[in-house]
Amino acid sequence: MTDGVDSTNGRTVRRRTVLTTTLGAVPVAMAGGMGGAGAASAAPAADRTAVEGLTVEHRTNPLGVDATRPRFGWRTASATRGRRQTAYRILVASSPDRLARGQGDVWDSGRVTSARSVAVRYDGDDLRPSTRYHWTVRVWDENGRALPGTPTAHFETGLLSTDGVTGWDGARWITMAGKAPNSEGAPLLRTEAALRRGRVREARLYVSALGVYDAYVNGHRVAVPQGSGTTLELLAPGWTNYDARVSYLTYDVTSLIAGERQATLAAVLGNGWYNSRVSEGSSYYSADGDRLALKARLLIRYADGSTQTVVTAPGDDWKATDTGPYRADDIYDGQTYDAREEIPGWTAGGFDASAWSGVEEHDFTTRFPDSRLAAYPGESARLMPEWDREPESITVYGDAFRESRTATLPVTLRPGETAVIDLGQNLVGVPRYTLSGPEGTQVVFKPGEMLNDTSQGADGPEGSVYRANLRAAKATSTYTLKGDPQGETHQDSLTFYGFRYVSVTTTDTVTLTGFTGRVATSAIHDIGTVETDDADINQLISNVRWGQRGNYLWVPTDCPQRDERLGWTGDTQLFSNTGLYNADTVNFLSHFEESLIDSQRIYGLDGAQFTWVAPGSRYNQPIPASGWADCGVVVPWTVWQMSGDTTVIDRSWAAMTKYLDWIHRRTGDTYAGQGAIFGDWLAFQDTSTQLISDIYYGHSARLMADMAHATGRTAEAGTYEELFSRIKRAFVTKYLATDATTGQVTVRSSLGKAPEWLGGTPEDDSQTALLWILKLGFYDTEAQRRQLVTLLADNIGNDEAYKAAHPDSTRVRYGENTLAVGFLGVNVLAPVLTDEGRADLAYALLHQDAMPSWLYSVRNGATTIWERWNSYSKEDGFGPVEMNSFNHYSYGAIMEWMYESMAGIAKDPAHPGFKHFFLRPHLDPTGKITRVSGSHLSPYGEIVSEWTVQDRELTYRAAVPANSTATLRIPATDPATVREGRTPLSRAPGVEFLGLEDGVASYRLPSGRYEITSARG
């Protein structure tokens, strides 16, 4: 490969010339034009092959890209079997016209002989800030033909700086002058500037806040593209460790500026996470309150090439007040809005703000001089109209809930009455309501996840909204009417709630004419589905998805309703695989990893342990916490495996090695883990916390070895492989005891303590211990492995003979075929059983509806995943209020198994990003599920795996994306009965038969679509 330069229209650009060789028997041309001289002929149009899904930094046509060498990605869509990429050429241009002419005046990669289409790095000259670039990619197939219909895309750089100065044109952090922290009223800030004469070509707004903001330009709330329209963000710019990093976002506001004579920039500031007790213990937190601040730059470009900027700065140009309608707001407590205090026109031009206060510079940069101001790298949290919920029922209670009536909208409500609204779905976001009534009437909306009944733990009359589990969170939306005879509509924007039900009370007669539960999430793109013919399993799948939507809000939280809502790292790591199957969350989790690394440095024990929560410090303590701290290793590995992109590994490597080195310094040649204060949290059978810690030490060491190999760190890979081997040897010696007479193996999982805050007594041969030992191979012989599998099966089976043999075990209180795992066992339970040939037990557990089980919550009306297996039951009532969330996604990690083993779409760790993957559907031996359809949009395209069983025939449908391959493992009695149409699959073009073993036929499949039948015997 050689580097050269081209001169295009007087500008010098770097061009990479790739000297190619032959690929197999197919000659590959040297770099040439995009279909011009030197290029192979285009593929026939009848091939229906096209390049699609162009991304930069894993986003489509992104704004505000701060990567100096952004990553390109694309997919090849083709109905042609065996279609694969053999070469590509990327062009980046300064204008669409140049790109259309095949001119990459910014960068021309040249024709690169490679199948790579994921995270291909830009390698041209330095990109300019605040600049739009246009790009395309030409792909050559396995026959050396250029694919037709090359699409174009664009990306736009951000400020390409993190110092908070460069590119900001003098913008400062400004705050309302004279406003005391925590005083009543949200700050409203505004300025306006006359526009120059001339046509506005484009306008961009770069904005951040200490706190959260609603931004306005020329009287319009700034929105973001979503689907075919636009939507509003919620709580931008999100949550970070403010003393280490603050995010800014970029908006295209051209339509709000073009054709206007002036530019009016305004914002409402809310406390958000920055000035809230959610940040208690953080280095930026002040019990007396932190002043809120805004930083913004409005960049206007005119058709003649000139520019104009409007920036936040102290002085007379900006004015502020706190006398508006936003009277109070808090992440935990909700929002108070007084419509009587609305200030008409304050966000638009021509408003007289001369009586308002001035602004002054905030002292943030002097308090935290090392904090970076960086572009948010993913999709912001936003309201998703397609998921909004309307009331399923409304019940109006009067006379202290002794009488009631059902109602529909519009509904009139009087003082002393309470309307209870059921949205039918536990969700996260804000209520939107329309009211009419007298001026000064106060209407109070109190959301909750459950309704009270007459069972134990209820906190109010039957039918009222249960809120005891919110603990100290007030979670209340309060609205005071201005008396508009046309009605008044409002939705909170400076807080969020977790709710299915809402109670409504009023101080005067009002009519509620509209009500919607507005859904907010950062998981805005669903990319995976699993569906069955079992209604209960489908409800469970829905519960997992809604739990992810609700808790993926700027950070992956543990619960969205009570006074917590924190980025608990244990929950994050164990659910991350499921999360990436369900939704496009590569950037979301990668950004969380950055916050976790910041937290490690600021709050981590010895500056090395990854923390329990991130960002912030609430509940963090300087105590070892395996399983939670290991999130810093597990998340990079999982993101890499699911995306095929090693960037997160490189960015995390120093922090990960610091963490593993720290453990070794603490425990030395014992090769024991650091300790695990939470253990297998909320398990129904206790496991030694030290065993859990030792397990996770080994787990992280093995993941580190994998990542070292993937990133060319050969020496480090060997080091971590040796570390894993030593941890295994120490573990086997300590925990595996073999009876000298019978040869029976016992796992001594009772050696140590139960989770400190839960009590209990650890037991030998616990489910979680057995599962992890089998997963990591922490045994010496196959005979031991078989015994361990038997011990696990007996524990799960939990029949009368097992109970009689284990009278002191907690298992005696529960039924046959029940699980007993907690947070750190739930994501390995079904996968390990399936890998060990006991898919029958995995399905038995899936279908179980006795407590503890996944379907227990479904049978009790859940629409999201619960924190506890027994958060509620009709017989026993509500679980303990000190820790009882009804939207807590951890146990939803079962969906990883649903994708990989039930539907059968499984990643191949040796080929990350689904370059090669497994299609390995496991049929339901109970017969309760006879149809499953699964899909996942991988980096190479949509993978489909669907099966139906009827009588003794299996019908199977699959799609393998172009430029990838799959190994199919399908139940069969005889390979001859596995057919595509009338042809044995082994004789289908491009398909390789790999063998038949234990009733499973294996095939190597090239890309394409398959309709297969198989006789099951």
Side-chain angles (χ1 to χ4, degrees):
M1 181 180 296
T2 62
D3 287 334
V5 295
D6 286 340
S7 181
T8 305
N9 293 338
R11 181 164 181 230
T12 300
V13 297
R14 182 186 304 172
R15 175 176 54 80
R16 299 175 72 207
T17 303
V18 182
L19 305 179
T20 63
T21 59
T22 59
L23 183 64
V26 181
V28 181
M30 292 177 62
M34 299 286 283
S41 60
D47 281 0
R48 291 183 295 164
T49 300
V51 178
E52 62 181 22
L54 274 63
T55 61
V56 174
E57 291 294 291
H58 297 283
R59 298 167 62 194
T60 302
N61 296 333
L63 293 178
V65 173
D66 252 7
T68 56
R69 295 182 59 218
R71 296 162 286 173
F72 296 95
W74 60 89
R75 300 189 298 269
T76 300
S78 177
T80 302
R81 185 163 294 183
R83 177 65 73 231
R84 57 188 173 87
Q85 171 188 305
T86 57
Y88 68 82
R89 182 185 179 194
I90 298 173
L91 291 182
V92 181
S94 58
S95 71
D97 292 340
R98 290 190 175 185
L99 200 62
R101 296 194 297 268
Q103 297 176 353
D105 62 316
V106 177
W107 181 47
D108 181 348
S109 71
R111 180 168 169 172
V112 180
T113 302
S114 172
R116 188 174 181 184
S117 60
V118 175
V120 178
R121 290 280 184 186
Y122 171 81
D123 197 23
D125 288 341
D126 291 346
L127 298 173
R128 294 178 297 176
S130 303
T131 301
R132 174 163 291 194
Y133 295 95
H134 305 265
W135 75 284
T136 190
V137 60
R138 172 57 58 92
V139 169
W140 285 264
D141 69 12
E142 69 281 3
N143 298 311
R145 298 180 301 189
L147 300 184
T150 303
T152 61
H154 62 262
F155 67 96
E156 193 169 299
T157 53
L159 303 179
L160 296 179
S161 68
T162 60
D163 61 10
V165 176
T166 306
W168 283 94
D169 285 349
R172 310 281 188 86
W173 287 110
I174 61 171
T175 187
M176 179 179 170
K179 181 172 176 59
N182 290 339
S183 58
E184 184 182 12
L188 314 181
L189 294 83
R190 74 179 309 279
T191 192
E192 59 182 83
L195 295 177
R196 299 172 187 166
R197 292 185 178 182
R199 182 174 64 86
V200 172
R201 179 165 58 88
E202 61 186 17
R204 298 292 183 267
L205 176 63
Y206 306 91
V207 60
S208 183
L210 302 174
V212 296
Y213 63 79
D214 296 341
Y216 294 83
V217 172
N218 284 340
H220 298 277
R221 173 88 181 270
V222 175
V224 292
Q226 180 60 40
S228 59
T230 62
T231 191
L232 298 177
E233 296 171 320
L234 186 67
L235 303 174
W239 187 16
T240 55
N241 290 301
Y242 300 97
D243 45 344
R245 180 196 315 265
V246 182
S247 296
Y248 75 86
L249 287 104
T250 305
Y251 304 93
D252 182 347
V253 294
T254 306
S255 65
L256 304 181
I257 294 291
E260 301 290 336
R261 294 184 177 181
Q262 58 194 10
T264 301
L265 179 58
V268 181
L269 295 182
N271 292 304
W273 297 269
Y274 178 70
N275 184 41
S276 170
R277 63 186 186 278
V278 72
S279 290
E280 282 179 343
S282 302
S283 54
Y284 53 83
Y285 174 77
S286 171
D288 296 327
D290 281 311
R291 295 189 303 165
L292 308 182
L294 177 72
K295 186 165 187 170
R297 174 196 182 214
L298 176 63
L299 170 64
I300 303 162
R301 288 195 172 108
Y302 294 90
D304 63 5
S306 63
T307 63
Q308 180 181 359
T309 59
V310 180
V311 300
T312 51
D316 295 334
D317 290 340
W318 281 85
K319 293 293 185 178
T321 187
D322 60 0
T323 61
Y326 303 87
R327 304 317 306 151
D329 63 270
D330 184 79
I331 290 293
Y332 289 156
D333 294 337
Q335 185 170 326
T336 299
Y337 188 93
D338 189 340
R340 298 172 300 178
E341 304 298 323
E342 289 178 345
I343 307 174
W346 77 272
T347 62
F351 178 80
D352 182 5
S354 58
W356 286 22
S357 300
V359 301
E360 59 190 11
E361 186 166 0
H362 194 281
D363 63 352
F364 180 79
T365 55
T366 56
R367 289 173 58 202
F368 303 109
D370 296 327
S371 181
R372 293 158 288 170
L373 185 56
Y376 186 75
E379 303 288 357
S380 55
R382 60 194 59 177
L383 299 171
M384 300 292 289
E386 60 266 43
W387 296 334
D388 287 349
R389 305 287 295 202
E390 302 298 322
E392 288 196 355
S393 69
I394 302 175
T395 306
V396 179
Y397 294 90
D399 191 22
F401 279 78
R402 286 190 290 269
E403 57 187 40
S404 66
R405 70 180 191 272
T406 58
T408 57
L409 295 174
V411 57
T412 298
L413 193 63
R414 299 170 180 82
E417 294 182 324
T418 301
V420 175
I421 300 172
D422 179 6
L423 295 171
Q425 173 63 57
N426 197 1
L427 58 88
V428 170
V430 294
R432 177 182 177 89
Y433 40 83
T434 300
L435 303 163
S436 60
E439 179 183 357
T441 301
Q442 188 177 84
V443 185
V444 176
F445 298 83
K446 292 191 173 183
E449 300 178 293
M450 299 285 284
L451 294 182
N452 281 304
D453 54 20
T454 58
S455 66
Q456 182 177 349
D459 70 340
E462 184 176 8
S464 63
V465 176
Y466 170 80
R467 284 164 53 90
N469 70 318
L470 303 185
R471 302 189 306 206
K474 297 176 182 177
T476 300
S477 177
T478 303
Y479 183 85
T480 302
L481 278 75
K482 60 187 175 184
D484 189 335
Q486 303 301 314
E488 308 171 33
T489 298
H490 175 74
Q491 66 186 35
D492 290 347
S493 62
L494 303 179
T495 190
F496 70 95
Y497 309 94
F499 63 107
R500 169 178 172 172
Y501 304 95
V502 180
S503 71
V504 189
T505 57
T506 177
T507 60
D508 203 338
T509 300
V510 298
T511 298
L512 179 66
T513 58
F515 190 93
T516 302
R518 310 260 4 238
V519 175
T521 185
S522 294
I524 65 175
H525 299 298
D526 286 344
I527 61 171
T529 61
V530 178
E531 184 180 5
T532 78
D533 58 350
D534 186 302
D536 287 338
I537 302 303
N538 289 343
Q539 182 63 56
L540 174 61
I541 292 168
S542 174
N543 293 0
V544 175
R545 188 176 300 280
W546 277 98
Q548 178 177 0
R549 287 172 179 166
N551 283 291
Y552 274 28
L553 188 78
W554 294 108
V555 301
T557 58
D558 63 323
C559 57
Q561 71 298 95
R562 68 187 182 212
D563 58 344
E564 199 160 334
R565 311 186 193 193
L566 301 172
W568 280 96
T569 51
D571 310 50
T572 299
Q573 65 89 1
L574 68 94
F575 186 82
S576 58
N577 215 340
T578 293
L580 286 159
Y581 267 114
N582 277 338
D584 180 6
T585 56
V586 169
N587 286 344
F588 175 81
L589 288 173
S590 297
H591 182 254
F592 180 73
E593 176 75 6
E594 292 176 344
S595 290
L596 181 54
I597 292 170
D598 289 339
S599 291
Q600 175 197 40
R601 176 176 52 83
I602 301 168
Y603 309 114
L605 184 56
D606 298 325
Q609 179 178 231
F610 291 112
T611 52
W612 304 354
V613 301
S617 183
R618 185 174 171 87
Y619 298 142
N620 272 330
Q621 295 183 30
I623 303 172
S626 289
W628 274 249
D630 296 278
C631 178
V633 176
V634 175
V635 163
W637 185 89
T638 307
V639 169
W640 160 58
Q641 282 287 308
M642 294 293 288
S643 69
D645 185 355
T646 59
T647 301
V648 68
I649 298 175
D650 291 328
R651 291 176 178 173
S652 306
W653 189 258
M656 294 190 296
T657 54
K658 181 189 294 185
Y659 170 60
L660 269 293
D661 290 347
W662 171 78
I663 297 175
H664 189 252
R665 287 197 306 272
R666 289 176 66 88
T667 65
D669 292 342
T670 66
Y671 296 102
Q674 57 177 305
I677 190 68
F678 301 115
D680 187 24
W681 190 244
L682 297 181
F684 273 41
Q685 183 182 33
D686 287 321
T687 303
S688 157
T689 57
Q690 187 58 52
L691 180 144
I692 292 291
S693 183
D694 296 352
I695 282 287
Y696 260 92
Y697 190 19
H699 183 46
S700 285
R702 187 159 75 174
L703 300 186
M704 290 292 286
D706 287 350
M707 290 186 283
H709 280 298
T711 54
R713 295 175 166 93
T714 305
E716 291 96 327
T719 297
Y720 287 115
E721 286 169 346
E722 176 65 19
L723 176 61
F724 176 80
S725 177
R726 291 178 181 274
I727 294 169
K728 173 182 176 178
R729 175 49 38 212
F731 185 95
V732 170
T733 301
K734 180 176 181 179
Y735 293 107
L736 263 60
T738 303
D739 187 283
T741 302
T742 65
Q744 178 62 44
V745 171
T746 297
V747 175
R748 303 171 67 198
S749 47
S750 64
L751 288 179
K753 300 178 180 179
E756 183 171 316
W757 288 298
L758 297 177
T761 303
E763 302 177 22
D764 285 342
D765 298 329
S766 70
Q767 276 187 26
T768 296
L770 289 163
L771 288 163
W772 273 103
I773 289 169
L774 288 166
K775 176 179 175 62
L776 296 182
F778 276 8
Y779 48 80
D780 288 326
T781 68
E782 281 301 298
Q784 288 178 331
R785 183 191 67 81
R786 289 190 295 270
Q787 287 192 46
L788 294 167
V789 172
T790 299
L791 288 171
L792 177 60
D794 289 346
N795 184 315
I796 292 170
N798 200 32
D799 59 17
E800 291 306 316
Y802 181 86
K803 291 177 181 179
H806 302 83
D808 298 326
S809 172
T810 57
R811 300 292 290 131
V812 301
R813 300 199 293 269
Y814 303 106
E816 295 183 7
N817 292 326
T818 52
L819 53 79
V821 297
F823 278 32
L824 298 188
V826 70
N827 62 320
V828 297
L829 176 56
V832 167
L833 286 171
T834 303
D835 289 345
E836 295 296 341
R838 295 307 307 267
D840 59 325
L841 274 180
Y843 270 105
L845 290 172
L846 180 66
H847 289 299
Q848 177 64 265
D849 61 6
M851 198 272 290
S853 67
W854 286 283
L855 292 189
Y856 182 76
S857 62
V858 171
R859 296 291 193 195
N860 281 277
T863 61
T864 44
I865 299 297
W866 293 349
E867 179 175 17
R868 295 173 173 270
W869 296 115
N870 59 343
S871 283
Y872 169 84
S873 74
K874 296 174 183 177
E875 298 78 19
D876 300 325
F878 297 91
V881 296
E882 64 269 14
M883 190 174 60
N884 196 27
S885 160
F886 292 94
N887 190 352
H888 212 101
Y889 58 66
S890 295
Y891 290 149
I894 180 60
M895 201 164 171
E896 172 188 343
W897 175 84
M898 292 181 179
Y899 277 105
E900 296 196 342
S901 295
M902 189 167 74
I905 301 171
K907 59 185 177 298
D908 178 358
H911 301 277
F914 297 88
K915 179 65 175 173
H916 173 267
F917 58 93
F918 296 101
L919 294 168
R920 54 177 198 191
H922 289 77
L923 310 187
D924 183 358
T926 71
K928 293 180 180 179
I929 296 175
T930 62
R931 179 183 58 81
V932 173
S933 63
S935 67
H936 173 67
L937 183 61
S938 79
Y940 296 92
E942 185 178 47
I943 302 168
V944 175
S945 181
E946 301 177 354
W947 56 265
T948 302
V949 175
Q950 189 172 11
D951 297 327
R952 305 203 66 79
E953 184 174 81
L954 168 66
T955 301
Y956 182 67
R957 176 176 172 264
V960 179
N963 206 30
S964 68
T965 59
T967 295
L968 171 65
R969 295 174 178 168
I970 188 168
T973 55
D974 184 339
T977 69
V978 181
R979 295 177 174 270
E980 187 179 31
R982 296 184 177 182
T983 304
L985 182 60
S986 59
R987 289 164 49 191
V991 174
E992 178 186 0
F993 176 57
L994 301 177
L996 177 71
E997 185 177 1
D998 297 330
V1000 176
S1002 297
Y1003 303 83
R1004 178 62 65 92
L1005 303 182
S1007 66
R1009 296 188 173 273
Y1010 298 84
E1011 301 276 352
I1012 299 167
T1013 58
S1014 174
R1016 299 177 59 218

